[in-house]
Protein backbone atom coordinates (compact mmCIF):
# COMPACT_ATOMS: atom_id res chain seq x y z
CA UNK A 1 0.00 0.00 0.00
CA UNK A 2 1.47 3.37 -0.92
CA UNK A 3 1.31 6.26 1.51
CA UNK A 4 1.54 9.95 0.67
CA UNK A 5 2.53 13.03 2.62
CA UNK A 6 3.51 11.09 5.67
CA UNK A 7 6.73 11.93 7.47
CA UNK A 8 8.84 9.52 9.49
CA UNK A 9 12.08 10.10 11.38
CA UNK A 10 14.53 7.26 11.84
CA UNK A 11 17.79 7.02 13.79
CA UNK A 12 20.85 5.07 12.64
CA UNK A 13 20.00 5.30 8.92
CA UNK A 14 23.59 4.91 7.68
CA UNK A 15 23.56 1.10 7.56
CA UNK A 16 21.70 -2.13 8.29
CA UNK A 17 18.02 -2.01 9.27
CA UNK A 18 18.02 1.80 9.36
CA UNK A 19 19.21 2.16 5.78
CA UNK A 20 16.89 -0.54 4.46
CA UNK A 21 13.90 0.80 6.37
CA UNK A 22 14.55 4.29 5.00
CA UNK A 23 14.53 2.99 1.42
CA UNK A 24 11.53 0.72 2.03
CA UNK A 25 9.43 3.52 3.52
CA UNK A 26 10.45 6.01 0.82
CA UNK A 27 9.40 3.47 -1.80
CA UNK A 28 6.03 3.29 -0.09
CA UNK A 29 5.63 7.05 -0.42
CA UNK A 30 6.87 8.20 2.98
CA UNK A 31 8.97 11.34 3.40
CA UNK A 32 11.90 10.11 5.49
CA UNK A 33 14.03 12.20 7.83
CA UNK A 34 16.97 9.82 7.84
CA UNK A 35 19.36 10.63 10.69
CA UNK A 36 22.88 9.39 11.25
CA UNK A 37 25.68 10.22 13.65
CA UNK A 38 28.37 10.50 10.97
CA UNK A 39 27.39 12.36 7.80
CA UNK A 40 30.57 11.09 6.11
CA UNK A 41 28.75 7.76 5.85
CA UNK A 42 25.75 9.24 4.01
CA UNK A 43 26.86 7.98 0.56
CA UNK A 44 25.71 4.40 1.32
CA UNK A 45 22.17 5.63 1.86
CA UNK A 46 22.29 8.13 -0.98
CA UNK A 47 23.49 5.49 -3.44
CA UNK A 48 20.75 3.09 -2.34
CA UNK A 49 18.12 5.84 -2.56
CA UNK A 50 19.31 6.88 -6.01
CA UNK A 51 19.20 3.26 -7.14
CA UNK A 52 15.64 2.93 -5.84
CA UNK A 53 14.61 6.26 -7.42
CA UNK A 54 13.58 7.77 -4.06
CA UNK A 55 16.38 10.24 -3.35
CA UNK A 56 13.97 13.19 -3.39
CA UNK A 57 11.91 11.65 -0.58
CA UNK A 58 14.82 11.43 1.83
CA UNK A 59 16.42 14.18 3.90
CA UNK A 60 19.59 13.35 5.77
CA UNK A 61 20.26 15.01 9.13
CA UNK A 62 22.97 14.59 11.77
CA UNK A 63 21.95 12.83 14.98
CA UNK A 64 24.06 11.02 17.51
CA UNK A 65 21.50 9.72 19.99
CA UNK A 66 23.93 10.24 22.88
CA UNK A 67 24.23 13.98 22.14
CA UNK A 68 21.43 15.93 23.78
CA UNK A 69 22.18 19.09 21.78
CA UNK A 70 21.72 17.20 18.49
CA UNK A 71 18.49 15.62 19.76
CA UNK A 72 17.15 19.07 20.71
CA UNK A 73 18.21 20.49 17.32
CA UNK A 74 16.41 17.86 15.23
CA UNK A 75 13.28 18.03 17.42
CA UNK A 76 13.18 21.79 17.04
CA UNK A 77 13.77 21.58 13.27
CA UNK A 78 10.78 19.23 12.92
CA UNK A 79 8.63 21.39 15.19
CA UNK A 80 9.43 24.60 13.30
CA UNK A 81 8.21 23.10 10.05
CA UNK A 82 4.71 22.97 11.45
CA UNK A 83 4.00 19.76 9.60
CA UNK A 84 3.06 16.50 11.27
CA UNK A 85 5.50 13.82 12.29
CA UNK A 86 3.61 10.60 11.63
CA UNK A 87 6.19 8.18 12.95
CA UNK A 88 9.45 7.89 14.86
CA UNK A 89 11.68 4.84 14.56
CA UNK A 90 14.35 4.38 17.22
CA UNK A 91 16.78 2.09 15.47
CA UNK A 92 20.31 3.30 16.31
CA UNK A 93 22.35 0.87 18.34
CA UNK A 94 25.52 -1.15 18.66
CA UNK A 95 26.65 -4.34 20.37
CA UNK A 96 29.19 -4.54 23.19
CA UNK A 97 30.09 -8.20 23.72
CA UNK A 98 31.85 -9.11 26.95
CA UNK A 99 31.52 -11.40 29.96
CA UNK A 100 30.19 -9.73 33.11
CA UNK A 101 33.41 -9.77 35.13
CA UNK A 102 35.46 -8.47 32.20
CA UNK A 103 33.17 -5.56 31.35
CA UNK A 104 34.03 -2.23 32.95
CA UNK A 105 31.47 0.10 34.42
CA UNK A 106 32.25 2.61 31.64
CA UNK A 107 31.67 -0.02 28.93
CA UNK A 108 28.35 -1.07 30.45
CA UNK A 109 27.22 2.54 30.73
CA UNK A 110 28.29 3.30 27.15
CA UNK A 111 26.12 0.42 25.91
CA UNK A 112 23.10 1.66 27.82
CA UNK A 113 23.78 5.28 26.81
CA UNK A 114 23.16 4.50 23.15
CA UNK A 115 20.82 1.52 23.14
CA UNK A 116 18.55 2.60 26.00
CA UNK A 117 19.06 6.19 27.14
CA UNK A 118 19.56 7.38 23.56
CA UNK A 119 16.29 5.87 22.36
CA UNK A 120 14.46 7.18 25.43
CA UNK A 121 15.89 10.69 24.99
CA UNK A 122 14.99 10.88 21.29
CA UNK A 123 11.48 9.66 22.06
CA UNK A 124 10.96 12.15 24.87
CA UNK A 125 12.15 14.98 22.62
CA UNK A 126 9.34 14.25 20.14
CA UNK A 127 6.56 13.50 22.64
CA UNK A 128 5.40 17.14 22.92
CA UNK A 129 4.91 17.27 19.13
CA UNK A 130 3.15 13.88 18.99
CA UNK A 131 0.94 14.84 21.93
CA UNK A 132 -0.07 18.12 20.25
CA UNK A 133 -0.90 16.28 17.05
CA UNK A 134 -2.91 13.62 18.87
CA UNK A 135 -1.59 10.88 16.60
CA UNK A 136 1.64 9.17 15.63
CA UNK A 137 3.65 5.98 15.82
CA UNK A 138 6.76 5.13 17.79
CA UNK A 139 8.66 1.98 16.83
CA UNK A 140 11.53 0.76 18.97
CA UNK A 141 14.02 -1.60 17.39
CA UNK A 142 14.72 -3.92 20.30
CA UNK A 143 16.01 -7.49 19.91
CA UNK A 144 15.41 -11.08 20.90
CA UNK A 145 18.08 -10.08 23.44
CA UNK A 146 15.37 -7.93 24.99
CA UNK A 147 13.47 -11.13 25.82
CA UNK A 148 16.25 -13.69 26.39
CA UNK A 149 19.64 -13.04 28.02
CA UNK A 150 22.39 -14.93 26.20
CA UNK A 151 25.90 -15.38 27.64
CA UNK A 152 28.62 -12.99 26.51
CA UNK A 153 26.21 -10.18 25.65
CA UNK A 154 24.89 -9.19 29.07
CA UNK A 155 25.43 -5.45 28.49
CA UNK A 156 23.48 -5.59 25.23
CA UNK A 157 20.70 -7.65 26.86
CA UNK A 158 20.55 -5.20 29.80
CA UNK A 159 20.04 -2.28 27.41
CA UNK A 160 17.40 -4.09 25.36
CA UNK A 161 15.54 -5.39 28.46
CA UNK A 162 15.48 -1.79 29.72
CA UNK A 163 14.15 -0.62 26.36
CA UNK A 164 11.43 -3.29 26.46
CA UNK A 165 10.20 -2.32 29.93
CA UNK A 166 10.28 1.39 29.22
CA UNK A 167 8.45 0.91 25.92
CA UNK A 168 5.76 -1.31 27.43
CA UNK A 169 4.97 1.42 29.98
CA UNK A 170 5.14 4.10 27.29
CA UNK A 171 2.57 2.21 25.22
CA UNK A 172 -0.03 2.53 28.00
CA UNK A 173 0.79 6.19 28.56
CA UNK A 174 0.51 7.06 24.87
CA UNK A 175 -2.48 4.98 23.80
CA UNK A 176 -5.12 7.31 25.30
CA UNK A 177 -3.40 10.21 23.47
CA UNK A 178 -3.77 8.50 20.09
CA UNK A 179 -0.08 7.53 19.82
CA UNK A 180 0.73 3.89 19.02
CA UNK A 181 3.91 2.32 20.35
CA UNK A 182 5.47 -0.96 19.19
CA UNK A 183 8.63 -3.02 19.66
CA UNK A 184 10.45 -4.96 16.96
CA UNK A 185 12.44 -7.95 18.25
CA UNK A 186 14.75 -9.32 15.55
CA UNK A 187 16.88 -12.43 15.85
CA UNK A 188 20.23 -12.52 14.02
CA UNK A 189 20.32 -10.60 10.73
CA UNK A 190 23.16 -9.78 8.35
CA UNK A 191 24.08 -6.18 9.20
CA UNK A 192 27.18 -4.43 10.55
CA UNK A 193 26.20 -4.91 14.18
CA UNK A 194 28.48 -7.84 15.00
CA UNK A 195 31.30 -6.72 12.69
CA UNK A 196 32.04 -3.03 12.05
CA UNK A 197 29.77 -1.90 14.86
CA UNK A 198 30.75 -4.44 17.52
CA UNK A 199 32.64 -2.76 20.33
CA UNK A 200 34.25 -5.64 22.17
CA UNK A 201 34.92 -5.24 25.86
CA UNK A 202 38.64 -4.44 26.15
CA UNK A 203 39.22 -7.55 28.28
CA UNK A 204 37.20 -9.92 26.06
CA UNK A 205 40.31 -10.99 24.14
CA UNK A 206 42.74 -10.56 27.03
CA UNK A 207 44.51 -13.89 27.66
CA UNK A 208 44.79 -12.88 31.33
CA UNK A 209 41.00 -12.75 31.71
CA UNK A 210 39.59 -15.50 33.94
CA UNK A 211 37.17 -16.15 31.06
CA UNK A 212 39.87 -16.50 28.37
CA UNK A 213 39.41 -20.23 27.70
CA UNK A 214 35.62 -19.98 27.79
CA UNK A 215 35.67 -16.94 25.50
CA UNK A 216 37.65 -18.98 22.94
CA UNK A 217 34.98 -21.71 22.90
CA UNK A 218 32.16 -19.14 22.97
CA UNK A 219 33.60 -17.22 19.99
CA UNK A 220 34.12 -20.42 17.99
CA UNK A 221 30.48 -21.40 18.57
CA UNK A 222 29.09 -17.94 17.85
CA UNK A 223 31.21 -17.59 14.67
CA UNK A 224 29.98 -21.02 13.56
CA UNK A 225 26.39 -19.83 13.89
CA UNK A 226 27.00 -16.70 11.82
CA UNK A 227 24.61 -17.62 9.04
CA UNK A 228 22.22 -14.76 9.33
CA UNK A 229 18.98 -13.80 7.72
CA UNK A 230 18.17 -11.07 5.16
CA UNK A 231 17.63 -7.77 7.06
CA UNK A 232 15.05 -6.61 4.50
CA UNK A 233 12.54 -8.73 6.47
CA UNK A 234 12.95 -6.36 9.42
CA UNK A 235 12.49 -3.27 7.23
CA UNK A 236 9.31 -4.80 5.76
CA UNK A 237 8.00 -5.56 9.26
CA UNK A 238 8.54 -1.96 10.35
CA UNK A 239 6.76 -0.71 7.21
CA UNK A 240 3.81 -3.00 7.99
CA UNK A 241 3.66 -1.75 11.59
CA UNK A 242 3.41 1.83 10.31
CA UNK A 243 0.50 0.86 8.06
CA UNK A 244 -1.35 -1.21 10.68
CA UNK A 245 -4.14 0.78 12.35
CA UNK A 246 -3.82 -1.36 15.50
CA UNK A 247 -0.20 -2.50 15.87
CA UNK A 248 0.65 -5.01 18.59
CA UNK A 249 3.20 -4.23 21.29
CA UNK A 250 5.73 -6.86 20.11
CA UNK A 251 6.87 -8.11 16.71
CA UNK A 252 9.31 -11.00 16.86
CA UNK A 253 11.21 -11.23 13.55
CA UNK A 254 13.27 -14.22 12.37
CA UNK A 255 12.98 -17.99 12.72
CA UNK A 256 15.79 -18.11 15.33
CA UNK A 257 14.06 -15.55 17.55
CA UNK A 258 10.70 -17.32 17.30
CA UNK A 259 12.31 -20.69 18.03
CA UNK A 260 14.17 -19.34 21.07
CA UNK A 261 10.97 -17.98 22.61
CA UNK A 262 9.03 -21.14 21.78
CA UNK A 263 11.64 -23.41 23.35
CA UNK A 264 11.80 -21.32 26.49
CA UNK A 265 8.03 -21.50 26.76
CA UNK A 266 7.72 -25.24 26.13
CA UNK A 267 10.82 -26.71 27.78
CA UNK A 268 11.56 -27.07 31.49
CA UNK A 269 13.86 -24.19 32.50
CA UNK A 270 16.80 -26.50 33.26
CA UNK A 271 16.62 -28.14 29.84
CA UNK A 272 16.43 -24.77 28.11
CA UNK A 273 19.47 -23.52 30.01
CA UNK A 274 21.48 -26.64 29.10
CA UNK A 275 20.67 -26.04 25.41
CA UNK A 276 21.85 -22.43 25.65
CA UNK A 277 25.07 -23.45 27.44
CA UNK A 278 25.77 -26.17 24.86
CA UNK A 279 25.05 -23.88 21.90
CA UNK A 280 27.36 -21.20 23.27
CA UNK A 281 30.25 -23.52 24.17
CA UNK A 282 29.90 -22.91 27.91
CA UNK A 283 28.83 -26.41 28.87
CA UNK A 284 32.39 -27.65 29.48
N1 LIG B 1 21.41 -7.22 13.11
C1 LIG B 1 20.93 -7.93 14.07
O1 LIG B 1 21.13 -9.15 14.10
C2 LIG B 1 20.07 -7.27 15.12
C3 LIG B 1 19.26 -8.11 15.89
C4 LIG B 1 18.43 -7.54 16.85
C5 LIG B 1 18.41 -6.16 17.02
N2 LIG B 1 19.22 -5.36 16.27
C6 LIG B 1 19.12 -3.91 16.50
O2 LIG B 1 18.89 -3.26 15.27
C7 LIG B 1 19.32 -1.90 15.36
C8 LIG B 1 20.08 -1.54 14.10
O3 LIG B 1 21.25 -2.33 14.04
P1 LIG B 1 21.74 -3.06 12.70
O4 LIG B 1 21.66 -4.51 12.93
O5 LIG B 1 21.09 -2.45 11.53
O6 LIG B 1 23.32 -2.72 12.78
P2 LIG B 1 24.23 -1.69 11.99
O7 LIG B 1 24.27 -2.02 10.54
O8 LIG B 1 25.51 -1.72 12.75
O9 LIG B 1 23.51 -0.28 12.17
C9 LIG B 1 23.51 0.40 13.40
C10 LIG B 1 23.20 1.85 13.13
O10 LIG B 1 23.16 2.55 14.39
C11 LIG B 1 24.02 3.66 14.27
N3 LIG B 1 24.50 4.11 15.58
C12 LIG B 1 25.28 3.47 16.48
N4 LIG B 1 25.48 4.24 17.56
C13 LIG B 1 24.82 5.41 17.32
C14 LIG B 1 24.64 6.62 18.03
N5 LIG B 1 25.21 6.82 19.24
N6 LIG B 1 23.86 7.59 17.50
C15 LIG B 1 23.28 7.42 16.29
N7 LIG B 1 23.44 6.32 15.55
C16 LIG B 1 24.20 5.33 16.06
C17 LIG B 1 25.13 3.23 13.33
O11 LIG B 1 25.83 4.35 12.84
P3 LIG B 1 27.29 4.25 12.16
O12 LIG B 1 27.08 3.81 10.74
O13 LIG B 1 27.85 5.61 12.27
O14 LIG B 1 28.08 3.22 12.93
C18 LIG B 1 24.28 2.53 12.29
O15 LIG B 1 23.64 3.47 11.46
C19 LIG B 1 20.12 -1.80 16.65
O16 LIG B 1 19.33 -1.18 17.64
C20 LIG B 1 20.38 -3.25 17.02
O17 LIG B 1 20.54 -3.42 18.41
C21 LIG B 1 20.05 -5.89 15.32
Amino acid sequence: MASTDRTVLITGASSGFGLLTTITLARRGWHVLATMRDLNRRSHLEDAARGAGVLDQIEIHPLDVTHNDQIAAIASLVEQRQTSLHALINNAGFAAPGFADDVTDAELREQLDTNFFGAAAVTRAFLPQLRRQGFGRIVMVSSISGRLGFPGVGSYAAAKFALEGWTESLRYEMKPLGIQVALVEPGAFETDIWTRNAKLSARLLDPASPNAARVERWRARIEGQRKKADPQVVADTIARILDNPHPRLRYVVGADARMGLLLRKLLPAGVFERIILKNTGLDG
Side-chain angles (χ1 to χ4, degrees), residues 103-115 117 155:
V103 169
T104 65
D105 192 49
E107 288 171 339
L108 182 55
R109 284 175 190 276
E110 189 182 17
Q111 176 74 104
L112 271 93
D113 270 347
T114 295
N115 290 19
F117 289 110
S155 309

Side-chain angles (χ1 to χ4, degrees), residues 14-15 17 37 41 64-65 91 156 160 187 189 191 197:
S14 59
S15 75
F17 299 154
R37 62 177 165 177
R41 292 183 39 76
D64 184 318
V65 301
N91 163 76
Y156 185 73
K160 294 296 188 183
F189 286 86
T191 68
N197 257 333

